[in-house]
């Protein structure tokens, strides 16, 4: 088994180092590393999905704070703190739906607020430790999600997934894909059906690539084939990740997830959502309050550089949708499996 290269890496020390990412917009055709030496490069990388997936966005933003504050290291502590606020606010405007971004930025800001009496270089060091903690914790969360989720896929000969939720979307092995990796290690015959995931093809370009790297049998399908694949009995479970989960369990994920949750219900197939606790937003009651990112119409009309719709054609391009809690058989977190999906059970497991 070949391990995929790290999606996110910090190169060097806190004061002169930089964030290194894999440019995911080029995969699977080209593997190129991206040196993020300024906060503007980090912002652009998040905005344009060079780095994407809720947990990976959070970890990258935490390191983006370090990159953005390095130049303020020689300034007074009050100037350093002003710069930190600007950087946090700036990065928070990169993408709206994945709560992991705001969770990581809040954590960085809180660390600074709780670290009074330090000089600017000392505070930069303290923030760097926090960013590293966020990365390491994410890796551990992925491993735990894989362990907790694995039994839910035992007995399956086929499983369907959507978008990309693996090593490219996190600092570790992933969320939904971590469960699939763990299940496939015990059942090498497990067949994974990967939705291509229109319009940006994270399933085709990234999930199929990751599964093939690990020699796990993957069958790529167009999103519109999912219902028929279920009807034919090819999959016994659907498992996806999430970008934000409300207090009642409503889960926002890549556009197409809502339809999948309905299809799974109609075919009596369990529908699982795997996500770390950093993806839960307990400040909002339901999915109605989750901000849904709308992206450029060219993602639909000019897919990958080729015009695929008539000039001037109107479009609607929401990047995410919300699977209602009532369609979700279980939420798989690093703290355990939440089943049934109710507000009470969510709070019990997350606070455990
Ligand atoms: O627009 P993207 O590629 O960032 O969307 C990613 C997803 O929807 C993933 O399913 C989600 O972030 C979970 S990643 C472990």
């Amino acid at each position: 088994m070949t391990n995929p290269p790290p999606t996110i890496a910090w190169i060097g020390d806190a004061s002169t180092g930089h964030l290194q990412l894999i440019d995911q917009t080029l995969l699977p055709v080209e593997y190129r590393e991206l040196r993020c030496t300024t906060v503007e490069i980090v912002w652009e990388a998040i905005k344009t999905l060079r780095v994407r997936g809720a947990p990976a966005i959070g970890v990258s933003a935490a390191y983006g704070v370090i990159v953005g504050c390095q130049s303020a290291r020689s300034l007074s502590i009050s100037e350093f703190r002003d710069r930190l606020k600007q950087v946090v606010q700036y990065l928070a405007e990169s993408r709206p739906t994945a709560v992991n971004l705001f969770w990581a930025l809040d954590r960085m800001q809180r660390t600074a607020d709780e670290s009074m009496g330090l000089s600017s270089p000392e505070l930069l060091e303290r923030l760097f430790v926090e960013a590293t903690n966020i990365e390491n914790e994410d890796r551990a969360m992925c491993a735990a999600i894989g362990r907790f989720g694995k039994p839910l896929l035992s007995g399956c000969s086929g499983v369907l997934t959507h978008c990309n939720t693996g090593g490219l979307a996190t600092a570790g092995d992933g969320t939904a894909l971590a469960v699939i990796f763990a299940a496939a290690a015990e059942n090498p015959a497990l067949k994974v059906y990967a939705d291509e995931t229109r319009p940006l093809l994270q399933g085709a370009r990234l999930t199929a690539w990751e599964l093939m790297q690990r020699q796990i049998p993957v069958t790529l399908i167009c999103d519109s084939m999912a219902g028929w694949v279920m009807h034919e009995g090819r999959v016994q479970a659907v498992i996806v990740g999430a970008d934000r989960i409300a207090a009642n369990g409503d889960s926002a994920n890549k556009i197409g997830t809502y339809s999948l949750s309905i299809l799974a219900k109609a075919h009596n197939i369990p529908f699982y959502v795997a996500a770390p606790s950093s993806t839960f937003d307990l400040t909002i009651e339901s999915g109605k309050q989750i901000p849904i990112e709308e992206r450029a119409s060219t993602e639909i009309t000019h897919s990958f550089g080729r015009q695929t719709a008539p000039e001037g054609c109107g479009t609607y391009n929401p990047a995410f949708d919300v699977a209602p809690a009532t369609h979700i058989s279980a939420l798989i977190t690093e703290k355990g499996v939440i089943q049934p999906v109710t507000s009470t059970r969510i709070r019990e497991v997350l606070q455990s």
Side-chain angles (χ1 to χ4, degrees), residues 49 52-55 95 163-165 169 175 202 241-243 253-254 320:
L49 277 59
R52 29 70 47 208
R95 289 190 80 185
C163 198
N164 172 266
T165 61
T175 56
Q202 288 93 331
D243 286 79
N253 189 49
K254 180 54 55 194
F320 300 95

Side-chain angles (χ1 to χ4, degrees), residues 88-299:
V88 164
Q89 212 171 336
Y90 174 62
L91 286 168
E93 281 157 18
S94 55
R95 289 190 80 185
T97 304
V99 77
N100 309 60
L101 170 70
F102 309 100
W103 170 85
L105 291 172
D106 282 352
R107 219 171 123 166
M108 296 299 280
Q109 183 63 61
R110 209 172 336 116
T111 298
D113 295 346
E114 288 167 2
S115 306
M116 288 301 170
L118 300 184
S119 65
S120 300
E122 285 168 345
L123 184 51
L124 183 69
E125 288 293 338
R126 175 66 196 89
L127 288 169
F128 180 65
V129 169
E130 195 61 18
T132 311
N133 288 345
I134 290 173
E135 179 191 347
N136 291 337
E137 286 168 26
D138 187 59
R139 196 168 296 122
M141 288 195 271
C142 292
I145 288 171
R147 277 197 307 276
F148 280 120
K150 181 175 68 173
L152 298 174
L153 298 189
S154 73
C156 291
S157 60
V159 60
L160 177 72
T161 191
H162 190 66
C163 198
N164 172 266
T165 61
L168 290 167
T170 62
D173 261 359
T175 56
L177 272 197
V179 175
I180 289 177
F181 295 153
E186 286 199 350
N187 172 16
L190 180 69
K191 261 195 158 189
V192 184
Y193 285 82
D195 275 353
E196 63 174 353
T197 316
R198 283 276 293 147
L200 295 182
L201 304 186
Q202 288 93 331
R205 295 186 302 103
L206 310 176
T207 299
W209 183 76
E210 276 198 51
L211 288 163
M212 288 174 75
Q213 292 260 324
R214 291 179 180 250
Q215 285 149 29
I216 295 173
V218 55
T219 304
L220 182 63
I221 58 169
C222 300
D223 301 347
S224 50
M225 297 168 188
W228 193 245
V229 163
M230 292 181 201
H231 173 77
E232 289 183 323
R234 291 172 187 265
V235 295
Q236 294 76 44
V238 177
I239 185 163
V240 297
D243 286 79
R244 194 185 293 227
I245 303 176
N248 71 346
D250 290 351
S251 299
N253 189 49
K254 180 54 55 194
I255 191 76
T257 301
Y258 172 67
S259 318
L260 274 186
S261 74
I262 293 173
L263 287 171
K265 205 175 172 71
H267 291 87
N268 211 13
I269 290 171
F271 181 86
Y272 301 121
V273 174
S277 49
S278 51
T279 301
F280 286 75
D281 182 354
L282 301 185
T283 67
I284 56 170
E285 267 169 46
S286 81
K288 285 194 189 119
Q289 291 146 277
I290 299 178
I292 300 293
E293 177 181 13
E294 252 190 75
R295 294 188 63 87
S297 61
T298 46
E299 288 183 357

